[in-house]
Amino acid sequence: MTDNRRSSFRHAVDLPVQVALAGAPATELRLGNLSMGGAYLANVVMTMGQRLSVAFVIPTQDAAIEVGAVVRWTDAGGVGIQFDGLRARDTWALGKYIEQLGK
């Protein structure tokens, strides 16, 4: 059995995301999956524990969700990140979006 320590299920998505690393300009990448607690950034190499800021727009909300994150795992295709904490409005909007994805 696989050890899955995620606190919430990740849903497959293909959304653009702006990623900024310590002092560097933001780069556009793609979200490969998304949950209330984190996401998968496709086609990027980063190191475990690396801190970053992400900003992405979900189809059900006009304003970008902006949140700090940390790289929790890596593989040949990208990295898994854990969000530091979402603002209340972003938590609500992301929850509604993910609810739609689960249908």
Side-chain angles (χ1 to χ4, degrees), residues 20-56:
L21 303 172
T27 302
E28 185 170 300
L29 299 173
R30 302 300 293 183
L31 291 177
N33 69 34
L34 181 63
S35 76
M36 293 301 295
Y40 179 74
L41 302 177
N43 302 314
V44 66
V45 176
M46 294 181 186
T47 57
M48 295 268 297
Q50 192 168 9
R51 306 238 13 112
L52 58 147
S53 296
V54 297
F56 57 95

Side-chain angles (χ1 to χ4, degrees), residues 78-91:
V79 300
I81 62 170
Q82 180 180 8
F83 299 144
D84 288 338
L86 296 166
R87 293 176 291 196
R89 73 173 175 97
D90 294 338
T91 299

Side-chain angles (χ1 to χ4, degrees), residues 57-94:
V57 176
I58 55 176
T60 56
Q61 181 175 325
D62 293 332
I65 293 173
E66 299 176 10
V67 64
V70 62
V71 175
R72 289 296 180 201
W73 57 268
T74 67
D75 67 17
V79 300
I81 62 170
Q82 180 180 8
F83 299 144
D84 288 338
L86 296 166
R87 293 176 291 196
R89 73 173 175 97
D90 294 338
T91 299
W92 181 85
L94 189 55

Side-chain angles (χ1 to χ4, degrees), residues 9-31:
F9 183 78
R10 292 198 178 187
H11 296 271
V13 296
D14 183 20
L15 298 171
V17 59
Q18 295 293 317
V19 177
L21 303 172
T27 302
E28 185 170 300
L29 299 173
R30 302 300 293 183
L31 291 177

